[in-house]
Amino acid sequence: MVPEGYMQDSAGRLVPRDKVKPQDLMIDDLVQDRFAEAAVLREQLKSFRQVSMENIHTALALITEQYGATYGGQKGNITLMSFDGLRRITIAIGDSISFGPELQAAKALIDNCLERWSEGADANLKVIVTDAFEVGKEGKIRTDKILGLRRLNIEDEEWQRAMQAISDSIRIDTTKAYLRFHERSGPDDDFRQVPLDIARV
C-alpha cells in the first residue's frame, strides 16, 4: 500500500508526489486513465463473447430439437450466415498441443536416419529437421514444424517409426473455441474479418 502523498517508482522506492516531475505525473495519469478504460473494454469484450456463444448454442439446440435430437455442445467448427449472405459468424475449434516423452525417441530415430543418409542426404531435409526441433523464442518446440515432418513422404522403416513416435507423443492440452466475425459488401466479394483486436481496428 502506497502512503498518501507518495508514489512508488519502478524500483519500488517511495517518492513524495510533490518531488515527481510534472511531465512524469502527466504521463502517469494518462497511462493509468487509459489502462482503466482498457480494463472496462476487456470486460465488455469478455461479456460480448460469452453472450454470443450462449446465443449461438441456444439457436443450435433449438434447430437440433426439430429433428428429435439433443444438441451435445461444441464438437466442431460452426458457421452461421446472415440471410443476405453478407455477414457470417464462425466458431472455430482449436487444440493446444504439447508433446510427450515419445518425442525424444522420435528425435533419436531421426538423428539415426540422417546419420545413415549423411553421404547422400538432401541438405534441405537436414535443415527442415533441424528447424523443426529448434526451440522458439518462447522456449517451446515449434509444433507446426514437428507435425509437418509427418507429411514428408520418406519410405524408410526407421523414419516411419520416428513418425509413429511423433504421433504417439501428441497431447491435447486444451481445446478452445474462437469466435470470428466476417462481412463482405456483395455476394461476389471476399469476406473480411471484423477486427476485434485493438491493433487491427
Side-chain angles (χ1 to χ4, degrees), residues 107-132:
K107 179 65 166 62
L109 290 167
I110 290 172
D111 286 343
N112 289 344
C113 288
L114 291 177
E115 191 174 334
R116 280 193 294 108
W117 305 336
S118 59
E119 291 184 7
D122 186 335
N124 292 327
L125 176 60
K126 289 184 179 180
V127 171
I128 291 170
V129 171
T130 303
D131 186 46

Side-chain angles (χ1 to χ4, degrees), residues 15-21:
V15 180
R17 188 176 180 88
D18 59 6
K19 300 298 183 185
V20 178
K21 293 178 182 178

Side-chain angles (χ1 to χ4, degrees), residues 97 110 125 128-129 132 142-155 159-160 162-164 166-167 170:
I97 294 175
I110 290 172
L125 176 60
I128 291 170
V129 171
R142 319 263 295 269
T143 301
D144 57 332
K145 305 271 187 180
I146 293 288
L147 299 180
L149 293 176
R150 300 186 304 170
R151 292 193 290 271
L152 297 175
N153 187 21
I154 298 175
E155 296 297 331
W159 179 270
Q160 293 298 324
M163 297 305 101
Q164 184 59 53
I166 288 177
S167 296
I170 295 172

Side-chain angles (χ1 to χ4, degrees), residues 2-7 15-18:
V2 178
E4 188 174 349
Y6 286 81
M7 296 179 69
V15 180
R17 188 176 180 88
D18 59 6

Side-chain angles (χ1 to χ4, degrees), residues 84-103:
D84 60 10
L86 301 182
R87 296 180 180 86
R88 75 182 185 199
I89 301 174
T90 304
I91 297 179
I93 304 302
D95 292 329
S96 176
I97 294 175
S98 65
F99 298 98
E102 298 87 349
L103 190 65

Side-chain angles (χ1 to χ4, degrees), residues 7-15:
M7 296 179 69
Q8 184 171 293
D9 69 10
S10 58
R13 297 169 300 206
L14 293 176
V15 180

